[in-house]
C-alpha cells in the first residue's frame, strides 16, 4: 500500500527445473498486495488506538486511559481492602517557562519530566498526562509509601535544557 515495503513474499520450489510462469507471478503479486493492505490497515488501527489513549507529546497515557485504569485500581483496592493514592503534580512556573523560553522548551520539560516519572514508578503504577488546567501530569500510585520516595527521587534532580537549567 502506498509504495511502502512491509516485507518480502518468497516462494521456492524444491523440485529441480520448476519455473514459475506469468500466471503464478500474477497470483503472488495479488496475494502480496492483499497481505500488504492488511498489514497497513493493522498498523493504522494501532496508530489510531495509540493516539486515542496516549498523549502525543509525552507518549504517556491520556485522561481516557487514566479513567479506565483508575476505576480498575479503585475496584481492586476495595476488593483487597488496600489504600490507593492519586497524586496530581503541578510543574511550578510551567507557564512562565513556556512564555519566556518558548513552547519548545516547555515541551522538552514535559517530555523529560514524563521520562523521569515513568522511570521512577513501580510496575502497577501509571503516569498520565491529563491536560487539566491545574497540572500537565498526573500519577496514579498503588502504594502511598511510594509517593514520598518517588518525589525525593524525581525532584531532587534538576533539569538542564541546553545551557539553561530548570530547578
Amino acid at each position: 500500500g502506498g509504495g511502502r515495503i512491509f516485507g518480502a513474499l518468497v516462494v521456492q520450489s524444491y523440485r529441480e527445473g520448476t519455473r514459475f510462469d506469468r500466471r503464478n507471478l500474477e497470483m503472488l503479486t495479488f496475494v502480496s498486495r492483499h497481505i500488504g493492505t492488511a498489514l497497513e490497515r493493522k498498523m493504522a488501527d494501532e496508530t489510531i488506538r495509540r493516539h486515542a489513549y496516549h498523549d502525543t507529546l509525552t507518549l504517556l497515557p491520556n485522561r481516557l486511559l487514566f479513567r479506565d485504569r483508575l476505576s480498575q485500581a479503585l475496584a481492586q483496592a476495595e476488593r483487597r481492602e488496600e489504600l490507593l493514592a492519586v497524586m496530581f503534580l503541578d510543574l511550578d512556573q510551567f507557564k512562565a517557562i513556556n512564555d519566556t523560553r518558548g513552547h519548545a522548551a516547555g515541551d522538552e520539560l514535559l517530555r523529560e519530566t514524563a521520562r523521569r516519572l515513568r522511570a521512577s514508578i513501580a510496575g502497577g503504577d501509571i503516569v498520565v498526562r491529563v491536560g487539566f488546567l491545574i497540572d500537565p501530569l498526573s500519577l496514579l500510585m498503588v502504594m502511598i509509601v511510594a509517593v514520598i520516595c518517588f518525589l525525593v527521587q524525581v525532584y531532587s534532580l534538576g533539569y538542564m535544557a541546553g545551557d539553561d537549567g530548570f530547578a
Side-chain angles (χ1 to χ4, degrees), residues 45-145:
D45 288 347
E46 288 171 3
T47 299
I48 290 168
R49 188 177 357 271
R50 187 173 47 253
H51 285 268
Y53 294 108
H54 291 83
D55 175 64
T56 55
L57 176 66
T58 62
L59 306 179
L60 291 175
N62 64 17
R63 186 182 317 182
L64 187 61
L65 188 53
F66 175 68
R67 285 181 185 152
D68 178 63
R69 297 288 167 84
L70 179 60
S71 65
Q72 289 176 19
L74 287 169
Q76 182 178 12
E78 187 175 335
R79 277 193 310 276
R80 295 180 178 179
E81 297 181 358
E82 295 177 337
L83 297 174
L84 177 76
V86 177
M87 182 171 69
F88 292 93
L89 303 177
D90 183 19
L91 300 179
D92 288 341
Q93 303 300 315
F94 180 73
K95 184 178 178 337
I97 291 167
N98 258 349
D99 292 345
T100 59
R101 299 184 186 202
H103 289 281
D107 289 352
E108 181 57 31
L109 177 60
L110 287 176
R111 281 191 292 270
E112 178 61 19
T113 302
R115 186 192 66 73
R116 288 185 186 190
L117 291 171
R118 259 194 315 266
S120 301
I121 61 173
D125 301 336
I126 182 173
V127 179
V128 181
R129 181 162 185 217
V130 293
F132 289 173
L133 295 175
I134 58 170
D135 63 77
L137 301 169
S138 295
L139 173 68
L140 169 61
M141 300 195 77
V142 177
M143 301 280 297
I144 290 177
V145 174

